[in-house]
Amino acid sequence: MEEGIGRYGSSLKVDNVQALAGRVSSDIPERYIRQERQNEYAHSNSSSDGCAGVRGIPIIDYNKLTDPNFSDEEAAKLHSACQEWGFFQVVNHGVPGDILYKMKQDTEGFFKLPLEEKESVAQLPGHLEGYGQAFVLSEKQKLDWGDMLFIGTLPSHIRQTRFWPTNPHTFSETIDKYSIEVKRVSDILFRKISENLGLGQGKLYEMFDDGVLALRFNYYPPCPRPEEVLGISPHSDGNGLTLLLQVSDFPGLQIRRKGRWFTVEVIPGAFVCNVGDIVEILSNGRYKSVEHRAVVSERNERISVAAFRTLNVGDTVGPISELVQGEEVLYKTLPFEEYLKILLSSKLEGKSNIDHMKLDA
């Protein structure tokens, strides 16, 4: 990937939302208004109808997952989380506190820069990496109330350093250290997920070891009418596994479960992890990639950092043969490059990527 991962996507240039938020009072441009937000109710722990709230999302203790005395029990919890929720939080993951602190500090510092300085690493036409918005593919589609910086970080040869901020001056070093730590944590998760699927620890780890790790830094400014907009539209992740660091104390990530939206609580220092479309396909549907979105606040900004583990050019996306012996194959098998084209066309059509990959599609 000499040209980086950004060449597999693009986004039209639209107004910077952070700047827009500083100009508007109560009048929000129509392209940001979402009719589906009307009459919605996001459940919390205090729901009286018996639905699981934010505390119902499984919590996986990384220390126990890697401790022979507790690993079987914790791996069973991980298996259940991937089957029943598609989401879980990982605590005690061992990423040094100073690296997490610097990642939060430098990310906040970047988004505080003047717009013209942030735009020194802006997206280029036909390229997804850089500062801007993700997957704005038409002049008519609804827009998200947020800005983002997207970069590929591992393997190192995919790095497009023209999109890496030089201010804060420590940001590049922080990104490098953070990426290594996130890969370490997700490597263990891939090993345990693989074992839980009956494949042995090495299968998924080896598939993703030489794959791509990309970071998306999200900024959601306050909005005078937060109940009418979305920070990120509902979607499932097209990658293999996502690890999200919630920089802000204010919650905003929501997952869709049993037809309702549930808010994910902020556990300081934890990673919110979710199964991506590729793992759902590889597992032939045993694990589910779950729809999620981000909402915003009237008074509080929200910042997060998502790390995406995915495959690489030359890899294949399709159900693993050992998992479809004697059962129906549910998904297509395609070269990774073709899979990325389907992912992009799904965004353009506003449809589910998983639906496009199903054999009966």
Side-chain angles (χ1 to χ4, degrees), residues 102 105-106 109-110 113 117 164-175:
K102 281 299 295 177
Q105 184 182 54
D106 286 348
F110 172 75
L113 294 173
E117 189 162 356
W164 287 47
T166 57
N167 191 7
H169 71 278
T170 56
F171 206 1
S172 290
E173 180 183 359
T174 300
I175 290 170

Side-chain angles (χ1 to χ4, degrees), residues 31-45:
R31 286 189 72 185
Y32 296 93
I33 302 297
R34 306 296 188 102
Q35 293 300 318
E36 68 268 25
R37 288 282 280 138
Q38 302 300 317
N39 303 319
E40 284 187 351
Y41 181 73
H43 284 250
S44 64
N45 310 333

Side-chain angles (χ1 to χ4, degrees), residues 218-220 244 246 248 250-253 294 300-304:
N218 302 301
Y219 180 84
Y220 309 105
L244 180 82
Q246 303 202 75
S248 306
F250 175 76
L253 173 64
N300 300 297
E301 68 177 12
R302 180 172 174 266
I303 298 173
S304 64

